[in-house]
Amino acid sequence: MSSPVNRLIKSPNSKIYRRVFIKRRDFITGLFESEWQDISNDVKSWGRITSKVEDARLFKLTFGNMKLVMNNVAGKYGPHDDQNSLWFGYLNQQRTLVKYEAGFYDVVDGANGVKIYTEYPDNTLWDDAFWDADNSLWDADNIQTLFTGIISGDIAINDGNEITFNIKPLNSIFEDFAAKNLTGFTSTGITASQFMNMLRDQTDGAGSYVFRPFFGDTTTNWDISTTTNVFGDLNTSTSELIFDQTAWAVVEKLAEAENAAPYVTRDGVFRFISRDAIVTSTAFEFYGAGSFNSEYGHTIKSVKSYGFKTSKFYSRVRIKYRAEDTITSYEVAETNMAVSGSSNPWILGERTLDIDNPYFATSTAAQAAALELFTEVSALKREVDFETSFVVGIDIFDRISISYDPTLVGVQSLWDQNDWADDFVDTDNDLIWDGTAGEQVFLDGQEFKFLSFEIDLDNLQNKFIAREV
Amino acid sequence: MEFLKSNLINTTTQIAVNSNTLSISNIFNRNLDYQYYTDGYNSDLLTASITITFDETTAVSRLSLLEFNAKEFRFFYNGLTANAFSLSGAQTTTSSWVSNSETSMFLRCQTALCSSITFEAKKTITANEEKVLGLLFYSDLYLAMPLLPSANNYNVAWRPKQVVHKLSDGGTRIHNIAKKFELDITIDYADAALRNQLLSIYQLGSEFNFCPFGTDTSWDKILFESVWPGDFDFYEYSDNNLDAGFSGTIRLKETPT
């Protein structure tokens, strides 16, 4: 029997809820109000939630900006100095917190005539057992929340009675803060986790936290794994590594050096944690034309592209981990080229992925990172770009499988061994043209991991790009 | 066919119940998937009550219940059980029922000036169930249409907001978001007084409620908060005759929940 949320994902006729909330900042204290304000009823266009991992730099996660278009007939979304505005009496709209929720809901008749209204996924039914045990890195406690961010950018009023808000992901608050303005460095340097703690505990000098208010004003929403490598150059705010960087740029460099993942979860928790090893079982299975599954149903609308991604093949990873440009400043992981049918550098040509990161504490750490990346990029792998109906709850790096065979050709082609082989015994040398293995896309439960996703909340569909495991 | 003022129940702070305060916002949530239900009152011997208190004395002439299950229940106002509403056009003339079997009803009453209204439910249609209620609606009249449209000129639809996916095998999947009423009523031969009354509705600048055929039995449950977008065209003469009155179309669309 399908899990409750799978039943709704595959249902031909399901009900969807979408909500968006804001938290404004007090005009005097500058701090966020305590309760979320639901503004869902005025939404004209919800926008698209996007998230992707950068090609070949797996520590670098990017969350796209969203466009939220509001009906402003009543002037509720006008500037804060307009008394009709929801922001009247509060700070202006910039850096207002925004939270999106969406999912499925179900109403059934319960005992005593009481309707039971349940939203999926929910904390009790959409839990580790269904999705996340395989990949705890991306667990989110409040799975109903799809995105948390802030309003940022120009806000223009037009005579069409609508206002468009640009929504940025929460990590943008670190991008808008110069690292040289951070306080808390020690003369002997600090570890990556100490730097993250420094962000968490950063104050304005008068005891008011700088970043914490965006994360629920609590230390609970900071999940920082302890690291031990001391970065000696992270010893002063005027350090060369810092003075011209944003706080987020430093976070990303440290993450690369520590093989960690820095990101803000969908429900607004800052995380700096070690990357999990690739999991061994799938979080979700996608099925499309020519396939059938009673648990997950048919969710694929189309496969936009599928094939080997030669542009992401590298035969060498070279990390420059010291500022000076000498031979000892590099750590390299590479495949030796050989003229053979099994040597990718020979088949595809030699290509080098160069990374410049002076944050690596030791050559050992740089070597480990180079090897890790090399493992990922040195194999020629396929990627698939596909579109599905509304699926919630899966995330970057989740391992999934795809079954898709849009051709109408049957499994048994006329061009089989009866016509071509010397005998009826199937061998590798037989010329067998299986109808399902021609030039068309044919996926039979192949496993991938997500590199990017887009949740289109207006059209209630998802777009994924996944890479072969 | 009536234009009605906004629901007088619009905030939880004006609602007092004797159980399950967590779901009291569902009393005025127009999405009937959300119900108010009692907790621990699944006995026909126990009376559940919902008291709505107004900031100031308020005129009330329309009462409506949607998707409820009370068999024995009553309304009274200003805290006095003797203050029943005087109903018109209903199966009973006072707002008290002992053997109801309807699950939705729309009631008209003589205008009462109320500081509070209490709804009490004792027995349920199926005995000994929790009392449930999809929507409670108290209001007053803007306009009762003196003219009704012909059947051909009464066009009402419950339009879904939905996304229809065409999947890779040609199959279809629907994601439903909500359904809203849309209504076009073309009226002929409206006199100048009616035209001006409709113009007042059109010019309200705020939402209002519309109930085309409210009744306390076999009600079609069409009662929705709406706005009137587009033109006001009741300036056209009916039948190309200056003395025949005016023709035009009332176009209503339901508001967000």
Side-chain angles (χ1 to χ4, degrees), chain A residues 9-16 18 41 105 112 114-115 117 288-289 298 300-301 389-390 404 459-460, chain B residues 32-35 37 42 67 128-130 132 163 165-169 173-177 256-257:
Chain A
I9 287 174
K10 73 178 185 182
S11 168
N13 203 337
S14 55
K15 297 176 179 176
I16 303 289
R18 299 178 293 189
N41 279 346
Y105 75 91
N112 290 322
V114 176
K115 285 182 181 176
Y117 175 98
H298 185 134
I300 296 176
K301 293 180 74 173
S389 56
F390 194 47
Y404 187 69
N459 297 308
L460 294 173
Chain B
L32 298 179
D33 285 338
Y34 296 87
Q35 285 180 322
Y37 56 94
N42 53 342
E67 299 199 357
N128 300 316
E129 290 196 329
E130 296 287 357
V132 300
V163 175
H165 296 288
K166 184 71 84 178
L167 293 170
S168 55
D169 67 347
R173 169 169 295 133
I174 301 173
H175 290 326
N176 293 286
I177 296 156
T257 302

Side-chain angles (χ1 to χ4, degrees), chain A residues 49 100-102 143-148 266 390 392-393 455 457:
Chain A
I49 297 169
Y100 278 76
E101 292 181 353
I143 204 77
Q144 287 176 309
T145 304
L146 291 186
F147 183 79
T148 307
R266 291 177 289 206
F390 194 47
V392 288
I455 304 173
L457 287 174

Side-chain angles (χ1 to χ4, degrees), chain A residues 121-342:
Chain A
D122 72 356
N123 284 340
T124 55
L125 292 169
W126 183 286
D127 62 5
D128 289 357
F130 288 121
W131 294 101
D132 296 328
D134 289 330
N135 200 348
S136 58
L137 175 61
W138 309 106
D139 275 356
D141 293 332
N142 183 358
I143 204 77
Q144 287 176 309
T145 304
L146 291 186
F147 183 79
T148 307
I150 55 171
I151 293 174
S152 181
D154 295 335
I155 302 168
I157 302 172
N158 63 29
D159 58 5
N161 284 330
E162 62 183 37
I163 275 187
T164 302
F165 291 125
N166 187 53
I167 314 291
K168 283 186 173 180
L170 261 188
N171 62 300
S172 67
I173 65 167
F174 302 111
E175 292 172 345
D176 295 339
F177 196 92
K180 69 181 180 61
N181 292 331
L182 292 168
T183 58
F185 294 101
T186 58
S187 59
T188 53
I190 56 175
T191 64
S193 57
Q194 284 172 327
F195 182 84
M196 304 307 150
N197 289 335
M198 205 169 84
L199 293 178
R200 182 193 64 194
D201 301 333
Q202 194 68 204
T203 66
D204 62 354
S208 296
Y209 293 108
V210 175
F211 301 116
R212 214 183 280 183
F214 294 91
F215 297 91
D217 219 5
T218 169
T219 56
T220 308
N221 288 342
W222 297 74
D223 183 4
I224 299 167
S225 297
T226 301
T227 59
T228 55
N229 289 322
V230 176
F231 297 86
D233 290 335
L234 284 181
N235 56 357
T236 168
S237 59
T238 56
S239 162
E240 278 188 18
L241 296 182
I242 292 172
F243 78 96
D244 61 347
Q245 301 286 321
T246 67
W248 187 249
V250 177
V251 169
E252 287 192 326
K253 291 282 189 185
L254 287 171
E256 189 171 47
E258 290 285 2
N259 194 24
Y263 69 107
V264 179
T265 64
R266 291 177 289 206
D267 54 337
V269 175
F270 176 91
R271 279 189 165 163
F272 183 85
I273 54 179
S274 298
R275 287 178 48 219
D276 285 353
I278 184 69
V279 297
T280 55
S281 57
T282 55
F284 194 84
E285 297 175 15
F286 290 93
Y287 292 86
S291 61
F292 172 76
N293 184 274
S294 60
E295 164 72 14
Y296 295 96
H298 185 134
T299 50
I300 296 176
K301 293 180 74 173
S302 64
V303 172
K304 300 295 183 189
S305 69
Y306 171 65
F308 284 109
K309 204 72 176 173
T310 51
S311 60
K312 290 186 178 177
F313 163 77
Y314 295 94
S315 60
R316 178 185 300 110
V317 174
R318 182 168 59 190
I319 294 180
K320 181 170 178 286
Y321 68 101
R322 288 180 178 159
E324 61 272 18
D325 192 9
T326 67
I327 189 70
T328 56
S329 298
Y330 292 87
E331 284 294 341
V332 176
E334 63 181 336
T335 308
N336 290 325
M337 200 270 286
V339 180
S340 86
S342 59

